[in-house]
Structures are given as C-alpha cells and as structure tokens.
Amino acid sequence: MSNDYDVIVIGAGPAGYVAAIRCAQLGLQTAVVDDFVFKDGEPALGGTCLNVGCIPSKALLDSSEQYHKVTEHLAAHGITARGVELDVEQMIARKDKVVKELTAGVRQLFKVNKIEWIHGHGRLVGARDIEVTSADGEPERYRAGSVVLAPGSRSIELSAAPLDGDRIINSDAALDMTAVPPRLGIIGAGVIGLEMGSVWSRIGSEVVLLEAQDELLGPVDRQLVRTAQKAFKEQGLDIRLGCRVTGTEVGQAVSIRYEDKKGAHQLVVDTLIVAVGRRPNTDDLCSGEVDLLLDERGFINVDEHCRTNLPDVYAVGDVVRGPMLAHKGQEEGVMVAERIAGKAGHVNYETIPWVIYTDPEIAWVGRTEAQLKAAGVPYNVGTFPFAATGRARAMDHSTGLVKLLAHAETDRLLGAHIVGPQASELIAEAVVTMEFAGSAEDLARTIHAHPTLSEAVREAALAVSKRALHKAN
Ligand code: FAD
Ligand code: AMP
C-alpha cells in the first residue's frame, strides 16, 4: 500500500473526522492519523467530543436528571417511588456503552467512505510530510497533497491544584467517578464546571464551585445568567465568584486555600475537579524544520478559510481561534474539505449556537445586548417567559425565557438568547432564521404547533413589536 494520499488529517475528533468524510465524499483519497486510546486500552475515533467530552457528559447529565426526577419531582404527579437507589457504576457503564457505540459508528463511516485510519501520533515533518509514531514506537512517513491539522485541545492544569488522578482530577476523570463524593469542589464555573457540578449535585454531592471572575458566565446575556444563577442556587450549587485558588493539600480529603475580596479562606472537599478551560494540542505537532505559525497562546494561526501560513496546510476545530465547540469544528472541517476539492466552502461564524446543558439549559446565538450597545447598533428586544406557555406549565418546567434582539430599523434578527427547557433544541429555530437573514416578523408570522415550547420563541418575536398575545406588552 502506498503512503501517499490526497489528504491526510491529523486528529479524529469532530473537526478532523468530518473533514475526512467530506474529503472522501468529494473523491479525495483520505487518511486520518489519531492517537486517542480509550480507557479500556482500545484506540478509538471521535476525539475528545465522543470519548471524554460532549457525549459522555450529556449521558451523565441525562442519568442524573432521571434520578433527580424520580427522587424530587414524581410526587407532584401523584407517583410514589420507594426504595430508589443509584448504581453509579452502572451509570458509568451506560455512559461508556453510549460512547463505544458512537465511536464504532465513526469507524463504520470511515469504512464505508474508504478512509484509512492510521493509529499513532502524527507530526508534520515537511511541507506535506507526516511522520506517524505508533504504539510500538516505529515512525513511518506519509505524504499528502493537502494536510488538515485537527489535534484538538486538552484541559488546562493549575499549579495551585496539581492533578493526582485520585482526589484532584480533570474533566476526563470526572466522567469516570464510580462513587458519589459527599463534598465536591470544582475550580472554574464555566460550561464544563457547571455541567459536572450539575451531574454530581443531582445525585447527592454537596458542590462548591470556585470561579476566578467576579461575574458568572461573563460573555452570556445577563438576564439569562440571573435566571440560571437563581435556579442553580435553589438546586444547591454553591457558586463562589472572584475566588483565586492559591494552594491545595491532599490527604484523606483535599484542603483548598483560596482568596477573594473578603480575604483568605479554606475549603475541604473529598474530590476536586479542575475545570479552568482548555488549551490547544500544538506542543508536539511539528518538527523543528516546519515553521507553522502559532499565536502567543499556542493556537494555530489561520485565516477565515482555516488556511495556515504553510501552503496546502489547513487547521480546524479547537486548535484554531473561535469557540471550542464540536459543531464549529465540524463546519470548519466541511469548509476545508470543500476548498481542497476546489469548491467554495464557507463558515458563517455569526451563527454558531452555544449551549450549556444545565437545568435550566442556556443557549444563545448572535449578538448580546451588551455587544449591540458597544457597537452602537439600534435594536428592539422581545422577551417571553416559559411560564406563560401551556406546554412548559404542563411539563412542570416553566423557569426561564426567550429573548430576541432585532435591528430597530430593518427588524433583522441579530441575536437569540434562551434559558429554559430544551433551550438546546429551541435555539436551532433562531439559527435558521439568522442564516436566512430573517427578521423577527418572519418568526412572528410562522405558525408554531400548540402546545409546544417553541411557542415561546414566536411570542418573543411578536414581543419585539409589542404584540405578544399571551403576556402584557
Ligand atoms: P478533539 O475532539 O479534541 O479531537 C482531537 C483528536 O486528535 C483527539 O483524538 C486527539 O487524541 C488527537 N490528536 C491530537 N494530537 C494528535 C497528533 N499529533 N497525532 C495524532 N492524533 C492527535 N462541545 C460542544 O459543542 N458541545 C458540548 O456539549 C460539549 N461538551 C463538552 C464537555 C466536555 C467535558 C469537554 C471536555 C468538551 C466539551 N465540548 C463540547 C467541546 C468539544 O469536545 C470540542 O470542542 C471538540 O471535541 C473539538 O473537536 P476537535 O476535532 O477540534 O478536537
Ligand atoms: P470554560 O472556558 O467555559 O471551560 O470555563 C473555564 C472557567 O474557569 C472560566 O469561567 C474561567 O474564568 C475559570 N477559571 C480560569 N482560571 C481559573 C482559576 N485559576 N481559578 C478559578 N477559576 C478559573
């Protein structure tokens, strides 16, 4: 077999494996180099997202939500459940099964698309030359017409809280805890910290989150954050803002020293998760002869079409600027594949949705009010509370609201912000509207089934022009 390919992709996460599939669809001979090994020792495709990110975290969020529903919410429905028990090992085993099925699915997609999977660590050693070091340590060389770098990212470590793999862990290990820690500390109340905190608090941990910033979820619309913050407090999540962790000691428990405006404090927990963000995997991606341009934080420099400074070398996903989100990487993968094949691939960075899978869920797309104000863009706001929709009431899930921002003169939809049930799904309607350069009026005139949560989106669109039907304007 020849070691020459039209395209070689490094990294089989959502950015890399999707790039490879699109390349193969376009008739390009494609290989993917990936070094990931699942905890059972088996090499696995799918990268962070499928193995230790999006999918396992959502599987655990779902299990913990089921438990929480049975223990806390069924009584109101007239259902009595006695002797409810949680088998954490089974919860983790189910999560692993979901992950395995999905990563096997990517393997199958590679087979049907005739994509070669080369397991090992890849390095760019020449303009279009890749060296792959496999488990047995023997390096092998490959040559590509074009190279797509998609090595993703890994958790940032904190010198004040070094991981010991047991009491102080990162998000990878937090997805594999087989017992509920009575006291759980989390450094970082970002997306990952809040999702992990939700899982373990629902199944019995007392959770304290220590966040460096003075405001929770800085870039998110303040009205959404206030609503979510109130709900988190009611759920027992103890979020402490403006905290700087200065040190940790590990013994039978973890003792954390931190400072805030009021002074120095100590917190003792059984397990501590460090969730302070992620950094790009670019440390060992190129040999010394290859002059790939990185920024000061180690991200690969790219233009709007994900071209690096090297000819025929592209970079996509978490390793380049922009949000660290799986669907952003996937879209970049498609764009790059199409451009390699001579087509006009393009990513609309203005319409990337964000989701935080807490309860309530938080989702948004486009501009916030703060951004519009800063840019001097005139806008109208329409809001609608889920409490005023029949479906949310019937579901007993009526916390939250939909907030739409439309241009004051053109009515074009500029941003959508949702906190509440199924926000992750509801945001898609706003994304489609924005992709079609639609207006609040377009959404307002669209018939929505009754009773559905999506009626809140339509009502918020009506509220932009002060004609919501089920609330006072
Ligand atoms: P990755 O998924 O990180 O994949 C990179 C792959 O390349 C890995 O398999 C890695 O082992 C391999 N690799 C790296 N370097 C080399 C090399 N030199 N040679 C060979 N192989 C290499 N995003 C969402 O959109 N929604 C979510 O709900 C969500 N939840 C998350 C929850 C958690 C706990 C975490 C940690 C992340 C979550 N994310 C979520 C973020 C998401 O996982 C990432 O944005 C996404 O995985 C990035 O995709 P990628 O293809 O760029 O890289
Ligand atoms: P995310 O980028 O969404 O995963 O969130 C990471 C969170 O960790 C952000 O809210 C950061 O402000 C927070 N963070 C980063 N460094 C620290 C630190 N040293 N102590 C506490 N929080 C931190």
Side-chain angles (χ1 to χ4, degrees), residues 394-412:
M395 290 166 68
D396 203 8
H397 222 130
S398 52
T399 300
L401 74 148
V402 177
K403 174 172 182 174
L404 300 181
L405 307 172
H407 196 284
E409 283 139 28
T410 65
D411 194 42
R412 183 170 172 166

Side-chain angles (χ1 to χ4, degrees), residues 382-395:
T383 61
F384 194 80
F386 283 104
T389 71
R391 187 71 200 274
R393 288 270 178 174
M395 290 166 68

Side-chain angles (χ1 to χ4, degrees), residues 221-473:
D221 178 274
R222 289 298 91 192
Q223 201 173 353
L224 265 65
V225 174
R226 278 195 299 276
T227 305
Q229 212 165 352
K230 188 163 167 271
F232 297 157
K233 199 170 176 193
E234 283 163 13
Q235 288 157 24
L237 287 178
D238 179 352
I239 302 173
R240 302 182 190 175
L241 299 171
C243 296
R244 200 170 65 85
V245 173
T246 52
T248 44
E249 269 98 48
V250 181
Q252 293 291 76
V254 186
S255 170
I256 308 160
R257 281 176 277 116
Y258 70 94
E259 290 168 5
D260 63 12
K261 274 190 269 200
K262 291 186 192 141
H265 307 271
Q266 196 179 346
L267 173 72
V268 178
V269 297
D270 301 290
T271 304
L272 176 63
I273 301 173
V274 179
V276 294
R278 298 180 62 81
R279 64 191 186 95
N281 285 327
T282 44
D283 300 352
D284 188 27
L285 190 61
C286 299
S287 67
E289 306 85 73
V290 176
D291 209 8
L292 180 70
L293 201 60
L294 307 181
D295 73 11
E296 65 287 354
R297 294 186 304 148
F299 289 89
I300 300 174
N301 256 15
V302 287
D303 67 9
E304 78 272 25
H305 294 127
C306 289
R307 280 182 300 221
T308 70
N309 63 312
L310 305 175
D312 303 312
V313 179
Y314 298 79
V316 293
D318 278 11
V319 80
V320 302
R321 82 289 175 259
M324 286 182 158
L325 294 168
H327 43 282
K328 173 263 192 185
Q330 294 197 357
E331 216 42 45
E332 289 178 336
V334 170
M335 166 177 73
V336 160
E338 293 185 346
R339 295 192 86 84
I340 291 171
K343 296 182 174 294
H346 169 76
V347 173
N348 183 357
Y349 287 96
E350 297 295 314
T351 56
I352 298 174
W354 296 67
V355 180
I356 307 175
Y357 294 81
T358 43
D359 179 16
E361 291 186 348
I362 305 169
W364 71 99
V365 60
R367 305 299 172 91
T368 59
E369 280 199 86
Q371 286 169 333
L372 292 176
K373 272 185 195 141
V377 178
Y379 64 93
N380 290 326
V381 186
T383 61
F384 194 80
F386 283 104
T389 71
R391 187 71 200 274
R393 288 270 178 174
M395 290 166 68
D396 203 8
H397 222 130
S398 52
T399 300
L401 74 148
V402 177
K403 174 172 182 174
L404 300 181
L405 307 172
H407 196 284
E409 283 139 28
T410 65
D411 194 42
R412 183 170 172 166
L413 191 63
L414 300 175
H417 306 267
I418 307 178
V419 57
Q422 303 285 330
S424 55
E425 302 291 339
L426 294 174
I427 198 67
E429 184 174 0
V431 177
V432 172
T433 305
M434 287 174 63
E435 186 60 39
F436 281 77
S439 61
E441 186 66 20
D442 290 325
L443 269 178
R445 285 176 185 252
T446 303
I447 301 172
H448 289 68
H450 174 76
T452 59
L453 296 171
S454 70
E455 285 174 293
V457 177
R458 179 193 174 226
E459 288 273 11
L462 285 164
V464 168
S465 49
K466 303 210 176 345
R467 41 190 242 270
L469 297 163
H470 293 87
K471 72 161 198 175
N473 285 288

